[in-house]
Amino acid sequence: MKRLQIGISLAGFSFFAILLLRYVRVPFMDPSGSASNIAAFVVMGLVFLFFIKRFNLPTLEYFGLPRISPGSIFAMALSAAILISVISNEDNVMKPWKVAVPGIIFLLSIGFGEEIVARGFIYGVLKRRSHKAAIFVSSLFFGLMHLNLYTGSDWDPWLAYWHVMSAFCFGFLMCAIMIATRSIWVAVLVHALMDWSVVFDKTPPKLADNPPTSYPFWEGLTSPFSDFLMALFPALLILYFSKPRKIWVPRWLKGFAIRLAIKWKLVDESSDKPALVGQN
């Protein structure tokens, strides 16, 4: 029953986030809609940042600079390699500064809003119960939230399925990056740059102009496979290398170190378990 209540509550909060994206608009002339789009993501992020602080979620510990560790270095290096591939894609082209500057601000607002909701809030709520479930379920909610793009005449079951699975894998990767670096801001930046083609694609797709996609069942079912390779597999690697591990030391080396420490009077040899001299 408790799990059901949490699930319904998270679904309600997710729906609230979608409503913010749909209905937040700047109160002055905005013919292109770019200012309204930026405002919607920023407002959504700020509202859920308030919820994170209000409920004192454990993800508050991630609102700082990244911690330097072997796991975080690996995560940032792998993220940089993926980003170089995404940004340098031949389908992207540099736009005039009048388009590029607000476009980059828009990408940062997307990263901020979506990461605060999915990783900061949803993951934070679930982390109190299970770390692994928090990663999986928050990524799943992140994927399902993208269904709002496929409503009414825009409904396309295969495209919606692909987008949900792609966003799920992407969310899994962002979650791994946040955990490894201990900073949600790294995930925000990586998320923003991973969406580079949203602004800099040569020919941005227009969903409403596309007819429903038709695939054979098996081909449609396996269509997100590339996303598993490009996002889910790196995420699992990052999570694996970010785990704290004990350094294995041979017994003979341990014994030698203890004897040397006793000889130099660095430990109390009268104790059953040698401890540093002066240690309480």
Side-chain angles (χ1 to χ4, degrees):
M1 182 60 72
K2 185 67 174 177
R3 292 179 181 178
L4 180 61
Q5 290 175 346
I6 292 174
I8 293 173
S9 298
L10 289 178
F13 276 108
S14 300
F15 182 69
F16 176 59
I18 292 171
L19 290 179
L20 288 174
L21 287 180
R22 289 217 165 191
Y23 295 109
V24 169
R25 294 291 180 267
V26 292
F28 48 83
M29 191 165 218
D30 183 27
S32 67
S34 58
S36 291
N37 290 333
I38 292 170
F41 280 105
V42 171
V43 168
M44 182 178 73
L46 292 175
V47 168
F48 276 82
L49 182 58
F50 167 78
F51 289 148
I52 292 168
K53 292 185 176 181
R54 175 67 180 82
F55 299 133
N56 194 29
L57 298 182
T59 37
L60 284 171
E61 66 176 293
Y62 297 127
F63 283 83
L65 294 176
R67 298 181 188 177
I68 303 302
S69 66
S72 68
I73 292 173
F74 175 76
M76 288 188 282
L78 189 56
S79 300
I82 295 173
L83 287 174
I84 290 172
S85 174
V86 169
I87 294 173
S88 61
N89 189 294
E90 61 181 10
D91 291 332
N92 293 328
V93 63
M94 195 60 196
K95 301 289 179 73
W97 68 270
K98 289 183 179 180
V99 177
V101 172
I104 291 173
I105 294 173
F106 175 54
L107 294 180
L108 290 171
S109 72
I110 294 175
F112 172 72
E114 293 190 345
E115 288 305 309
I116 295 297
V117 173
R119 258 57 69 185
F121 182 76
I122 298 178
Y123 170 83
V125 170
L126 296 168
K127 188 175 185 290
R128 286 175 169 169
R129 298 182 65 86
S130 169
H131 174 63
K132 291 180 180 179
I135 297 173
F136 181 85
V137 178
S138 65
S139 302
L140 181 60
F141 265 94
F142 178 69
L144 292 172
M145 286 173 66
H146 287 76
L147 282 175
N148 78 96
L149 300 173
Y150 304 92
T151 56
S153 60
D154 294 333
W155 174 247
D156 184 325
W158 279 125
L159 198 55
Y161 162 74
W162 171 82
H163 203 155
V164 168
M165 295 306 297
S166 174
F168 166 77
C169 296
F170 183 85
F172 209 101
L173 177 60
M174 293 303 103
C175 210
I177 291 171
M178 181 186 72
I179 292 168
T181 61
R182 311 296 292 178
S183 175
I184 196 172
W185 304 120
V186 177
V188 167
L189 181 60
V190 173
H191 186 146
L193 296 178
M194 286 283 280
D195 284 340
W196 191 260
S197 62
V198 171
V199 174
F200 296 97
D201 196 325
K202 292 177 183 176
T203 54
K206 294 182 179 179
L207 182 63
D209 296 338
N210 295 334
T213 306
S214 177
Y215 286 119
F217 178 78
W218 182 249
E219 184 180 347
L221 191 66
T222 58
S223 59
F225 183 72
S226 60
D227 296 291
F228 280 89
L229 292 178
M230 292 295 294
L232 197 58
F233 181 66
L236 293 173
L237 280 178
I238 290 172
L239 290 173
Y240 175 79
F241 285 111
S242 64
K243 285 182 180 179
R245 289 178 173 80
K246 293 182 179 179
I247 300 175
W248 180 77
V249 180
R251 284 187 178 180
W252 65 267
L253 186 56
K254 270 187 190 177
F256 175 76
I258 291 173
R259 289 194 299 272
L260 194 62
I262 291 173
K263 182 177 180 181
W264 288 352
K265 297 182 179 180
L266 296 176
V267 297
D268 182 5
E269 59 182 316
S270 63
S271 173
D272 293 335
K273 293 182 180 179
L276 291 174
V277 173
Q279 184 180 30
N280 293 328

